[in-house]
């Protein structure tokens, strides 16, 4: 089932859908286009784990209240560009996003509220040096990643490698 078949009924179910706060769409492999989700302005937590057709999440930057985004196992995800507009985003799980590379996460230091970033098992992300400039970042999980350049040491930043 494609994005339209999965998300269409949800978004056409009336005004209540636009006030969803947590939304779990785990393992919906047919979701490739997340544009309709960008209209859910009250969304605070979104779980798109193992939605393996997603390549980008730019429309989710319009979710101003989004605090937690789980993209674990989205193996075709190439970029998280656009998330810098999600002003409340505090926790981002990118565990096992095999297609994600340095360019795909280059904008993460612009995420002003980001406190927890999980890049474990993202072997294509090898340079995280710019993440040291992310003032709000408290936890950076690089377990099993390809990161060779470590974010510069900063008080209050916990970097996890093992």
């Amino acid at each position: 089932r494609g994005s339209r078949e999965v998300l269409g009924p949800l978004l056409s179910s009336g005004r209540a859908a636009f006030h969803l706060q947590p939304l779990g769409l785990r393992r919906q492999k047919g979701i490739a286009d997340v544009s309709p989700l960008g209209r859910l302005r009250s969304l605070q937590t979104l779980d798109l784990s193992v939605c393996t057709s997603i390549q980008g999440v730019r429309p989710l930057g319009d979710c101003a209240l989004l605090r937690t985004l789980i993209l674990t196992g989205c193996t075709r995800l190439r970029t998280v560009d656009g998330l810098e507009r999600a002003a409340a985003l505090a926790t981002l799980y990118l565990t096992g996003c095999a297609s994600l590379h340095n360019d795909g996460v280059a904008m993460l230091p612009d995420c002003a509220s980001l406190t927890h970033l999980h890049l474990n098992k993202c072997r294509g992300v090898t340079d995280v040096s710019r993440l040291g400039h992310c003032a709000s970042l408290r936890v950076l999980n690089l377990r099993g990643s390809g990161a060779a350049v470590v974010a510069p040491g900063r008080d209050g930043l916990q970097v996890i490698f093992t």
Side-chain angles (χ1 to χ4, degrees):
R1 297 180 351 156
S3 298
R4 211 168 248 148
E5 289 84 15
V6 173
L7 298 176
L10 171 72
L11 297 176
S12 65
S13 63
R15 294 182 55 94
F18 293 97
H19 297 288
L20 285 172
Q21 292 179 0
L23 179 59
L25 294 169
R26 296 178 60 102
R27 301 189 190 288
Q28 297 294 323
K29 296 180 181 183
I31 296 177
D33 178 12
V34 297
S35 296
L37 296 173
R39 296 188 308 214
L40 301 176
R41 303 288 192 237
S42 298
L43 195 59
Q44 294 178 19
T45 301
L46 178 59
D47 185 352
L48 292 169
S49 297
V50 198
C51 291
T52 55
S53 297
I54 295 173
Q55 293 184 20
V57 291
R58 178 178 290 280
L60 298 181
D62 295 332
C63 298
L65 300 178
L66 186 63
R67 293 193 45 75
T68 302
L69 179 57
I70 306 167
L71 296 165
T72 298
C74 293
T75 54
R76 290 192 184 130
L77 183 68
R78 296 186 183 286
T79 182
V80 291
D81 189 44
L83 290 182
E84 68 277 10
R85 296 186 335 268
L89 186 62
T91 303
L92 179 58
Y93 289 90
L94 297 169
T95 302
C97 293
S99 298
L100 203 56
H101 290 70
N102 294 332
D103 290 344
V105 297
M107 51 53 64
L108 285 176
D110 298 329
C111 292
S113 299
L114 194 62
T115 59
H116 293 75
L117 176 59
H118 299 271
L119 289 167
N120 37 323
K121 299 181 183 175
C122 292
R123 288 177 172 58
V125 178
T126 58
D127 182 358
V128 294
S129 58
R130 291 194 61 226
L131 293 175
H133 303 289
C134 194
S136 58
L137 195 60
R138 297 290 172 252
V139 175
L140 175 59
N141 187 342
L142 300 170
R143 183 178 290 140
S145 74
V149 177
V150 181
R154 179 173 55 71
D155 286 342
L157 176 61
Q158 177 187 10
V159 181
I160 303 167
F161 276 110
T162 59

